Amino acid sequence: MVETWALPATDVPSRVTRGVMTTMGEALSNVERHSTAKTVSIAVTAGRNGLRLTVSDDGQGSPAPVTGRGIARMRAAFAEIGGSLSVNSVPGEGTTVSGVVPMAR
């Protein structure tokens, strides 16, 4: 099951949209390939701190720091649009990918 929690109610530059969509696609691909999750939740929100993407699953998680080509691609996509990305994984509880792109001032 895929849950979508929120969507930004503001215009987002196309380059930011591409970076967020690339990251979301990679995160969902990782869920499908590695997590054995039953549920994945996606939230895309815009606020004072910027545009935030969170993809969380209830899968098997990982005991070691999460690395790999997919994680590197997601971090690169967010770095390219001026954002940062973190990956938290807890064995037996799942993984959460969170990224934020500061809003232009």
Side-chain angles (χ1 to χ4, degrees), residues 8 23 26 33 37 48 53 56 62 66 71 80 99:
T23 301
E26 186 66 45
R33 284 190 311 233
R48 261 186 284 224
L53 165 68
S56 297
S62 175
V66 183
I71 301 296
E80 197 172 290

Side-chain angles (χ1 to χ4, degrees), residues 6-7 10-11 19 21 25 29 31 37 39-40 43-44 46-47 51 56 61 70 82 92-93 96 98 100 103:
L7 298 172
T10 184
D11 289 335
M21 293 302 292
S29 178
V31 169
T39 303
V40 61
V44 180
L51 183 78
S56 297
E93 294 185 23
T96 298
S98 297
V100 66
M103 295 294 242

Side-chain angles (χ1 to χ4, degrees), residues 26-66:
E26 186 66 45
L28 291 173
S29 178
N30 285 346
V31 169
E32 183 178 32
R33 284 190 311 233
H34 305 296
S35 78
T36 68
K38 292 187 172 120
T39 303
V40 61
S41 300
I42 303 165
V44 180
T45 58
R48 261 186 284 224
N49 294 333
L51 183 78
R52 177 173 295 280
L53 165 68
T54 305
V55 179
S56 297
D57 70 62
D58 64 355
Q60 64 188 8
S62 175
V66 183

